[in-house]
Amino acid sequence: MRPFIKRCPSLICGRPFQINRFSKRLDTMQGGVLTCPHCGFVIQGDGNSIFLAHALSLQEEAEFEEEQARIQPDVGDVNKR
């Protein structure tokens, strides 16, 4: 199973990271909070889930960026939209 990778929505950061999602089973754990491992930006998610975020290795991050460039080659050019 391939890990889920999300890009940080912060305009300052924007780096990709891996997310692991687990069902929230204990009332003592805070659910629905996802934190970027690079910059600490907090994202609200599903309150019934616990999220663990991990930074990608440099190689994984480079591979992700290459894949994104193939999928969305003009993402950085706003004038072409």
Side-chain angles (χ1 to χ4, degrees):
M1 179 183 208
R2 189 171 184 182
F4 181 71
I5 298 175
K6 178 177 180 68
R7 186 176 296 281
C8 177
S10 167
L11 296 176
I12 296 169
C13 178
R15 290 180 65 192
F17 57 93
Q18 179 181 335
I19 300 172
N20 295 306
R21 181 178 178 173
F22 301 94
S23 178
K24 181 181 172 192
R25 301 204 187 267
L26 300 173
D27 289 334
T28 57
M29 299 179 84
Q30 182 181 10
V33 178
L34 177 57
T35 305
C36 173
H38 302 290
C39 70
F41 189 84
V42 176
I43 306 156
Q44 292 299 316
D46 176 10
N48 294 318
S49 298
I50 302 293
F51 298 96
L52 298 179
H54 307 279
L56 301 175
S57 70
L58 293 177
Q59 180 180 349
E60 290 170 325
E61 191 167 341
E63 289 170 0
F64 175 81
E65 296 296 355
E66 287 175 12
E67 182 178 317
Q68 291 299 299
R70 281 193 307 271
I71 295 171
Q72 303 170 347
D74 296 326
V75 166
D77 191 350
V78 202
N79 295 325
K80 291 187 178 181
R81 290 185 189 175

